[in-house]
Amino acid sequence: MMIGPERTDHGPGEPAVAIVGGVHGDEPSGVRAVERLRAAIERGELALQCGVALIVANPAAVEAGVRGVDSDLNRAFPGAPDGDREQRLAARLLEQTGGMRTLSLHATHAEAEPIAILDGSRPGMLEMADELPVPYVVDHRRVAKGSYSSVADALTLEAGCQGTEAAAVTAEQIALEFLRATDAIDGQTRSVSSQFFALDEPVEKPPSARYELLVENFQLVEEGAPFASVDGSLVHAEVPFYPVLMSAQGYTDVFGFRGHKLGDGLAEATAAIAAEQELSEAAAQRGQSG
């Protein structure tokens, strides 16, 4: 069985940009987008200005239609050359895309609108997301252990509802905008006014036969308000929070994540992250001096 990743290079020179689909094999929209971009390039419909790598990260999982074969690739980074299948894939994918500006295409059960997910502490990532037409940008560095975008200059795109053609279309459209933003193809990018959020912690899901989500992602949930139902019993918010990537059935053991809003637009988000980092550093220094 092929380990992968499956990579093809296009355009002039060594690739400076990468687009990756199939990190999760049960999210076919990203793979479709990569295949459609390959076909458009081969037909001469896309004139590339620099080298571009198009990658299907986990072809065996894609073929089987499962999230991962041995484990979850997006929890396996930075990987290990002698680890399980996904750990070896993670190490190879990092090697293949090192130094490239990368877009990793995903899909979700939680939200139909596209979401950009990144590590806000990595230079340039907020700016990269701000150039794309996504209504929501999420900094996941607090809960991103083992993810691709926590160890590389990779922007994760949740393109829409998992398994839908609409998500594949959105993934391809935003991949084209990414190529414009990185000067890989000509044209002006089409951006929108994005709202920026940060993840704080997962919201655990107790064992149950029936779940219902009572709130909308990215809409404030006040303290004490019911946000979910478990076998008919309401679950109330202990603190105010913004739901992010929350759904009734998307994850096995969590509803999704509690988050907070960083701001409306790049400037507010950048200032908020800088202030949070200053507070964190000050707290660490106090701890060391104590």
Side-chain angles (χ1 to χ4, degrees):
M1 185 181 292
M2 179 180 179
I3 292 290
E6 178 189 279
R7 168 178 161 176
T8 58
D9 294 349
H10 308 267
E14 288 295 315
V17 175
I19 296 177
V20 179
V23 167
H24 291 141
D26 59 353
E27 298 171 6
S29 55
V31 178
R32 293 179 199 164
V34 166
E35 291 172 344
R36 291 169 186 176
L37 289 171
R38 281 177 179 161
I41 293 168
E42 291 168 359
R43 291 193 301 265
E45 296 172 2
L46 282 180
L48 298 177
Q49 308 300 311
C50 69
V52 173
L54 297 177
I55 300 172
V56 175
N58 196 345
V62 171
E63 183 177 355
V66 296
R67 189 172 180 88
V69 175
D70 290 341
S71 60
D72 186 334
L73 176 55
N74 211 31
R75 303 293 182 271
F77 289 92
D82 57 351
D84 69 18
R85 178 182 293 273
E86 274 69 28
Q87 289 173 328
R88 285 176 283 159
L89 272 175
R92 292 179 185 182
L93 185 59
L94 276 183
E95 182 180 359
Q96 287 192 6
T97 59
M100 299 184 196
R101 299 182 75 183
T102 302
L103 181 68
S104 180
L105 303 172
H106 291 253
T108 176
H109 288 284
E111 180 66 40
E113 295 284 350
I115 305 167
I117 302 176
L118 48 80
D119 183 331
S121 67
R122 297 186 70 86
M125 298 309 296
L126 287 169
E127 291 79 4
M128 187 187 302
D130 191 55
E131 292 191 71
L132 300 181
V134 294
Y136 307 112
V137 178
V138 176
D139 178 2
H140 73 344
R141 60 198 152 98
R142 289 185 177 86
V143 296
K145 292 181 180 179
S147 71
Y148 186 22
S149 52
S150 69
V151 297
D153 289 336
L155 185 68
T156 294
L157 175 74
E158 298 286 358
C161 294
Q162 187 171 330
T164 64
E165 174 60 16
V169 170
T170 297
E172 182 182 4
Q173 290 174 341
I174 296 182
L176 288 170
E177 296 290 346
F178 178 78
L179 292 176
R180 294 186 185 98
T182 54
D183 297 322
I185 60 176
D186 285 334
Q188 291 293 114
T189 56
R190 178 179 59 86
S191 63
V192 300
S193 180
S194 302
Q195 298 180 64
F196 289 73
F197 297 82
L199 297 186
D200 294 320
E201 58 188 357
V203 180
E204 293 185 359
K205 181 191 289 184
S208 170
R210 182 165 55 90
Y211 301 100
E212 184 180 1
L213 187 67
L214 305 177
V215 295
E216 295 185 14
N217 282 291
F218 304 108
Q219 301 299 314
L220 179 64
V221 177
E222 300 287 357
E223 181 179 354
F227 68 87
S229 170
V230 178
D231 283 336
S233 297
L234 296 177
V235 183
H236 296 82
E238 297 180 358
V239 295
F241 72 95
Y242 284 89
V244 182
L245 295 174
M246 290 187 73
S247 67
Q249 305 298 335
Y251 300 100
T252 302
D253 54 354
V254 299
F255 281 106
F257 300 89
R258 291 186 183 91
H260 65 276
K261 191 170 184 178
L262 295 169
D264 294 313
L266 178 61
E268 289 186 8
T270 301
I273 289 176
E276 289 178 0
Q277 289 177 327
E278 288 180 7
L279 287 173
S280 178
E281 291 169 3
Q285 289 176 355
R286 288 195 299 269
Q288 291 174 356
S289 62

